[in-house]
């Protein structure tokens, strides 16, 4: 386990930090090895009480004490947080940033030479341990740093490594993807109501169907087209539904959603530089 015996913490103790710390505890990391710092005292009290982690008021103390620091503040605050702590990072540490749109190069400008940086784009389902995260390595990150980050993000879901120039595409697909899936689920529930089902029943069946279909793709490694073919009998109900989806342009609409979100991510990261 690449995290065994290491001190790990989050600079910024918001929703994502809470999800990551919870995932690490569930993965067997002792709460005594986990840290968090935040400007809000009530968040620190809550996280100390809820998770049993060390909660520090000082970002500097956090950075000085840890092997792995996860930068988990909003993108707009990253420059301030790094102006305060950047000079304290040492090359034997790993700095992992989850701030959307902030590049490894931007972060490295605040650090001494040789400090390894990993950038990660997680998504909101990390809160339930079902996240989809992509990570990329900065200039000085080694296999050790990539393995550390992979271990952290597989504790809260699934994780893959991509080149940094694909991080906007990841933001458009899995970063923003939960929103598309929520819209689809709401529409499926409306559809269920339209054909006579009570709303709670329609929503439960829709959500469980999405979960089941996703698990079939992930756990069988079958192509989704083949799985679709397996459930569409000649002249049957599923193919009648699929025809309506094709007529409504669902595929192109989803492709356009991902493309537009990717372009928006590019524009926003350019604005943060
Ligand atoms: N939530 C998601 O689904 C998601 C998905 C992908 C990526 N991310 C990324 O994850 C990062 C954290 O997101 P989040 O949703 O967890 O945000 P959040 O809930 O706002 O958490 C950030 C926390 O850091 C505190 N903070 C602000 N400035 C600070 C400073 N200088 N030093 C220490 N703490 C400070 C904030 O306090 P105040 O509230 O008082 O400012 C807040 O408690 C963001 O960069 C976001 O882009 C989030």
């Amino acid at each position: 386990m690449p995290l065994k015996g290491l001190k790990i913490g989050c600079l910024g103790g918001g929703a994502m930090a809470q999800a990551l710390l919870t995932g690490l505890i569930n993965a067997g990391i002792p709460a005594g090895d986990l840290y968090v710092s935040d400007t809000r005292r009530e968040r620190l009290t809550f996280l100390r009480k809820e998770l049993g982690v060390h909660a520090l008021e000082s970002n500097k103390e956090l950075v000085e004490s840890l092997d792995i620091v996860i930068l988990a503040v909003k993108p707009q605050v990253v420059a301030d947080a790094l102006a305060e702590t950047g000079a304290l990072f040492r090359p034997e540490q790993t700095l992992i940033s989850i701030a959307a749109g902030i590049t490894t190069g931007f972060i490295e400008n605040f650090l001494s030479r040789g400090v390894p940086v990993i950038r990660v784009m997680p998504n909101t389902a990390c809160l339930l341990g079902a996240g989809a995260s992509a990570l990329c390595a900065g200039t000085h990150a080694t296999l050790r740093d990539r393995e550390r980050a992979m271990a952290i993000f597989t504790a809260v879901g699934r994780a893959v490594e991509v080149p940094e120039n694909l991080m906007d595409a990841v933001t458009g697909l899995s970063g923003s993807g939960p929103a598309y899936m929520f819209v689809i689920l709401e529409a499926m529930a409306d559809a269920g109501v339209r054909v006579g089902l009570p709303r709670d029943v329609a929503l439960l069946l829709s959500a469980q169907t999405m979960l089941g279909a996703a698990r079939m793709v992930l756990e069988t490694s079958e192509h989704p087209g083949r799985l679709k073919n397996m459930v569409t009998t000649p002249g049957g109900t599923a193919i009648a539904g699929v025809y309506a989806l094709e007529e409504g342009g669902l595929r192109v609409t989803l492709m356009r959603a991902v493309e537009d979100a990717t372009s928006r991510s590019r524009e926003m990261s350019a604005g943060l530089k």
Side-chain angles (χ1 to χ4, degrees):
M1 172 73 152
L3 304 177
K4 195 160 186 281
L6 298 180
K7 291 183 176 176
I8 307 166
C10 293
L11 194 163
M16 266 296 169
Q18 186 177 345
L20 291 171
L21 293 169
T22 305
L24 289 171
I25 291 169
N26 292 341
I29 306 289
D33 288 345
L34 298 175
Y35 292 71
V36 64
S37 67
D38 199 285
T39 41
R40 283 174 187 250
R41 201 167 281 173
E42 72 273 15
R43 271 309 282 173
L44 294 174
T45 310
F46 172 80
L47 292 169
R48 188 185 295 124
K49 220 172 125 196
E50 192 73 10
L51 302 179
V53 300
H54 301 273
L56 310 177
E57 282 182 35
S58 160
N59 290 337
K60 286 184 175 168
E61 192 188 337
L62 179 104
V63 169
E64 280 170 344
S65 318
L66 300 184
D67 300 297
I68 303 175
V69 177
I70 303 168
L71 189 55
V73 292
K74 291 278 188 221
Q76 308 85 301
V77 187
V78 166
D80 287 348
L82 288 175
E84 183 195 356
T85 60
L88 302 172
F89 280 92
R90 307 176 301 277
E92 63 271 23
Q93 293 174 298
T94 306
L95 169 51
I96 299 174
S97 166
I98 59 169
I102 302 284
T103 63
T104 55
F106 180 89
I107 294 169
E108 285 165 355
N109 284 333
F110 290 87
L111 308 172
S112 311
R113 227 182 124 65
V115 176
V117 177
I118 301 278
R119 174 181 170 194
V120 183
M121 184 64 206
N123 72 9
T124 185
C126 288
L127 301 173
L128 296 176
S133 305
L135 62 90
C136 65
T139 318
H140 308 291
T142 63
L143 179 63
R144 177 205 69 166
D145 304 297
R146 288 157 48 208
E147 284 179 351
R148 286 177 170 185
M150 203 48 110
I152 291 172
F153 287 88
T154 50
V156 288
R158 294 187 187 240
V160 294
E161 192 170 345
V162 299
E164 186 154 16
N165 64 5
L166 293 182
M167 288 304 259
D168 290 309
V170 168
T171 306
L173 184 71
S174 52
S176 312
Y180 318 149
M181 299 302 150
F182 296 141
V183 171
I184 291 172
L185 279 176
E186 195 188 10
M188 288 275 285
D190 281 345
V193 171
R194 189 155 191 250
V195 293
L197 294 170
R199 180 163 294 278
D200 57 339
V201 171
L203 187 56
L204 182 141
L205 292 176
S206 303
Q208 181 63 24
T209 300
M210 183 181 277
L211 181 66
R215 282 191 58 191
M216 286 186 79
V217 170
L218 288 170
E219 291 172 27
T220 67
S221 299
E222 284 284 4
H223 188 284
R226 197 171 133 76
L227 291 169
K228 181 259 301 167
N229 290 352
M230 283 158 57
V231 293
T232 43
T233 49
T237 58
I239 195 66
V242 167
Y243 183 85
L245 292 180
E246 298 293 1
E247 198 172 42
L250 182 76
R251 283 174 199 260
V252 172
T253 305
L254 283 173
M255 287 165 86
R256 190 164 292 144
V258 174
E259 204 176 333
D260 284 2
T262 302
S263 307
R264 183 69 191 123
S265 173
R266 276 196 200 108
E267 279 169 24
M268 287 172 70
S269 353
L272 284 167
K273 278 177 200 152

